[in-house]
Amino acid sequence: SFPRAVAKTNIRRLSDKVVYELNTPGLQSVEDVFVSKLEVGYEVKAIGEKKIYVNSLPINLPLYKFVIDNGKLLIEFKSPENF
């Protein structure tokens, strides 16, 4: 019943991983985050206090982990060298 929104996204490429940083204010717990693998990447749904954030991430690397840090959802993927 919440309005849907696309979270602003920043991408950081490090030597051993790729980190997507989604601005998701109001997100309280990783239990409110749902990640689905698609043919061409991932779909991320995050339920905040007032919005549901829905983002498509066009990346085909293995998902490593995701954490919440200061109103941002950080999603880490392993780089091909670290499979």
Side-chain angles (χ1 to χ4, degrees), residues 19-34:
V19 179
Y20 276 79
E21 184 178 287
L22 282 65
N23 189 16
T24 54
L27 182 61
Q28 300 296 320
S29 169
V30 293
E31 293 178 3
D32 295 330
V33 177
F34 304 94

Side-chain angles (χ1 to χ4, degrees), residues 51-81:
K51 293 181 182 177
I52 297 175
Y53 299 97
V54 180
N55 283 64
S56 294
L57 308 179
I59 187 167
N60 282 322
L61 296 176
L63 177 65
Y64 178 61
K65 68 178 180 177
F66 53 91
V67 295
I68 299 170
D69 184 33
N70 294 328
K72 295 181 181 178
L73 175 61
L74 304 174
I75 304 172
E76 293 184 17
F77 296 93
K78 289 186 178 183
S79 66
E81 304 87 42

Side-chain angles (χ1 to χ4, degrees), residues 3-42:
R4 292 179 180 250
V6 175
K8 288 188 178 184
T9 305
N10 290 322
I11 303 169
R12 291 185 283 153
R13 287 177 172 77
L14 305 171
S15 62
D16 60 341
K17 60 188 169 185
V18 176
V19 179
Y20 276 79
E21 184 178 287
L22 282 65
N23 189 16
T24 54
L27 182 61
Q28 300 296 320
S29 169
V30 293
E31 293 178 3
D32 295 330
V33 177
F34 304 94
V35 179
S36 302
K37 177 72 173 124
L38 305 173
E39 286 183 27
V40 292
Y42 292 85

